[in-house]
Amino acid sequence: MKKHGILNAELSGALATLGHTDLILVVDAGFPIPRDAHRIDLALAENLPDLRTVLGLIAGELVVEGVVRADDVVSNNPRLDEWLQSTFADAEFSTRTHAEMLSDVAAQAKVIVRTGAFEPWGNIGLVCGVDVPRWFGGDGVIAPDYYADRL
């Protein structure tokens, strides 16, 4: 039996398939998931599970170098934005329009995880990164300039 981390077999397996620059989208209960998307539906009831719990668990399993959220999160759901900034403090943040989150970002996602969240603009993209010290910290390896500050 697995000791810790995400126990949901489908989600755990999907996370194991992600590589550098892959995008995983964690969405609220009302997100229109495209038919051809790799959908993992965790929603049981309103706010069960909630967005932050699922994102926090995923944050414990992935290296996240980028966070994508709707520009409405910054202006209209600042508590969520503050939580994201503190949870993913080392990540680069970007915004897209709400319409782009529903279309372009959803189409780019390798995996879409539906939560039970009833949270406005609760649709967050996580861009997978690499553990820079583990990849570039070996003897004789010179990290590229864009990773030097992460060593």
Side-chain angles (χ1 to χ4, degrees):
M1 180 173 169
K2 192 172 178 188
K3 282 175 75 171
H4 55 81
I6 294 174
L7 299 178
N8 180 282
E10 187 177 5
L11 180 54
S12 183
L15 294 177
T17 70
L18 298 173
H20 190 207
T21 73
D22 280 340
L23 176 70
I24 180 172
L25 195 56
V26 181
V27 301
D28 61 27
F31 191 87
I33 298 174
R35 284 184 195 164
D36 60 344
H38 180 174
R39 167 200 288 248
I40 299 174
D41 197 336
L42 303 178
L44 296 173
E46 183 176 332
N47 290 316
L48 190 61
D50 66 279
L51 183 71
R52 294 167 206 226
T53 297
V54 174
L55 283 168
L57 288 166
I58 290 172
E61 303 233 352
L62 293 180
V63 176
V64 175
E65 72 179 25
V67 176
V68 184
R69 77 271 200 231
D71 49 14
D72 298 295
V73 171
V74 178
S75 58
N76 298 338
N77 196 346
R79 286 188 178 172
L80 174 58
D81 197 51
E82 290 169 10
W83 184 88
L84 291 168
Q85 296 275 352
S86 67
T87 302
F88 301 100
D90 295 332
E92 182 178 314
F93 280 72
S94 63
T95 57
R96 305 287 291 271
T97 68
H98 182 64
E100 289 172 325
M101 292 297 293
L102 300 178
S103 59
D104 299 345
V105 177
Q108 294 169 8
K110 187 171 183 179
V111 177
I112 300 178
V113 180
R114 180 176 176 249
T115 70
F118 276 47
E119 180 153 8
W121 305 283
N123 310 304
I124 308 300
L126 303 176
V127 179
C128 297
V130 296
D131 185 335
V132 173
R134 292 177 84 183
W135 280 94
F136 298 102
D139 285 342
V141 177
I142 300 170
D145 290 341
Y146 51 86
Y147 282 143
D149 65 331
R150 295 188 191 178
L151 282 175

